[in-house]
């Protein structure tokens, strides 16, 4: 059995969408962040970073959202959610997966938790880190918009929907409250892309199951 440790709207959302998309049986385990359940000894034993998500797949315990997405694409290869191994397309799948994780997602975390990057009580530092993170994510949105134009769409990697589309959609969604720069929906390629991903039944089902409300992105 597959179990996804999740919290509504957190990074687990992309994995939740993919699991529904795959039609594979799984269960959801809510991580009560208000009760700091992600910092409990039991949770830290699964993910020493104390972050969401964690996927349990039989005896395998896996953290890192993009690693989980890639694992699910590999273990459900018939669904065709990752390009064939050893191809240039597969190399680009790795490139975009790592970039989404180590550049765009990591910077969004600074945007959401700027106080973690400065000395305690440094209010001006918090404002500066948040603004800098928002500006850097703005560059990331520009790159995503450019990629959609170059790849010709309709999906991030081109003609075929992949395990990275729920990830790109989720990160774009996280920009919806940007105040100092454009959110994803204001980019010419990203707006129709977000609409297309949102139209997928798996995305709508995940929103529903997590109890999330509009605006969607
Ligand atoms: N690189 C990690 C990042 C995960 C992450 O930052 N998760 C956030 C939720 S979106 C979290 O658990 N935040 C709680 C905290 O930072 O205390 C991954 O992709 O799994």
């Amino acid at each position: 059995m597959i179990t996804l440790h999740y919290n509504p709207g957190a990074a687990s959302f992309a994995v939740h969408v993919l699991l529904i998309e795959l039609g594979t049986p799984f269960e959801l385990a809510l991580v009560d962040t208000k009760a700091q359940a992600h910092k409990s000894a039991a949770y830290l034993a699964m993910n020493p970073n104390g972050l969401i998500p964690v996927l349990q797949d039989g005896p395998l315990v896996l953290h890192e959202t993009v690693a989980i997405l890639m694992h699910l694409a590999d273990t459900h290869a018939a669904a065709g959610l990752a390009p064939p191994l050893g191809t240039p397309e597969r190399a680009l799948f790795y490139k975009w997966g790592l970039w989404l994780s180590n550049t765009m997602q990591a910077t969004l975390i600074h945007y959401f938790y700027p106080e973690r990057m400065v000395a305690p009580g440094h209010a001006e530092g918090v404002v500066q880190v948040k603004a800098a993170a928002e500006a850097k994510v703005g560059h990331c949105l520009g790159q995503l918009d450019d990629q959609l134009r170059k790849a010709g769409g309709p999906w991030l990697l081109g003609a075929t929907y992949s395990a990275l589309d729920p990830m790109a959609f989720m990160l774009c969604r996280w920009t919806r409250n940007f105040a100092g720069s454009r959110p994803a929906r204001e980019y010419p390629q990203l707006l129709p892309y977000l609409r297309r991903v949102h139209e997928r039944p798996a995305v709508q089902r995940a929103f529903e199951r997590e109890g999330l409300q509009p605006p969607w992105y």
Side-chain angles (χ1 to χ4, degrees):
M1 174 53 90
I2 293 178
T3 303
L4 172 63
H5 297 263
Y6 86 108
N7 191 266
S12 42
F13 182 79
V15 180
H16 191 183
V17 169
L18 195 69
L19 284 166
I20 298 173
E21 194 85 53
L22 290 169
T24 192
F26 69 95
E27 56 188 31
L28 290 173
L30 178 67
V31 184
D32 185 354
T33 47
K34 288 200 182 95
Q36 294 292 298
H38 54 316
K39 310 297 177 192
S40 68
Y43 193 86
L44 291 173
M46 296 190 293
N47 182 354
N49 303 296
L51 297 173
I52 298 160
V54 164
L55 187 89
Q56 289 179 287
D57 185 357
L60 174 70
V61 179
L62 194 60
H63 62 82
E64 295 310 313
T65 311
V66 169
I68 296 170
L69 295 172
M70 290 177 167
H71 165 71
L72 290 171
D74 286 347
T75 49
H76 300 79
L81 290 166
L85 275 174
T87 60
E89 290 76 20
R90 182 72 169 211
L92 294 174
F93 175 77
Y94 292 136
K95 180 191 87 166
W96 283 108
L98 285 166
W99 179 86
L100 285 168
S101 177
N102 71 19
T103 303
M104 188 163 174
Q105 184 187 16
T107 311
L108 276 160
I109 298 300
H110 295 329
Y111 164 79
F112 285 115
Y113 303 104
E115 67 284 355
R116 294 181 180 174
M117 301 304 292
V118 299
H122 187 357
E124 181 53 30
V126 168
V127 172
Q128 287 177 7
V129 169
K130 194 171 181 77
E134 192 180 302
K136 186 173 172 191
V137 174
H139 289 296
C140 295
L141 292 173
Q143 286 186 55
L144 279 181
D145 201 66
D146 211 33
Q147 161 64 9
L148 284 165
R149 190 177 47 76
K150 285 183 187 151
W155 310 115
L156 180 66
L157 301 180
T160 308
Y161 187 78
S162 84
L164 298 183
D165 285 298
M167 181 74 183
F169 176 84
M170 179 185 77
L171 298 185
C172 286
R173 168 179 151 71
W174 288 358
T175 72
R176 68 193 181 281
N177 294 322
F178 270 16
S181 59
R182 285 184 293 164
R185 64 178 177 273
E186 290 185 19
Y187 286 75
Q189 306 298 324
L190 283 171
L191 178 60
Y193 171 73
L194 294 170
R195 285 192 179 129
R196 277 192 294 276
V197 180
H198 184 222
E199 276 166 14
R200 295 183 78 91
V203 173
Q204 296 187 25
R205 183 84 186 105
F207 275 139
E208 196 182 292
R209 286 188 70 176
E210 297 197 10
L212 298 172
Q213 302 295 327
W216 304 119
Y217 47 82

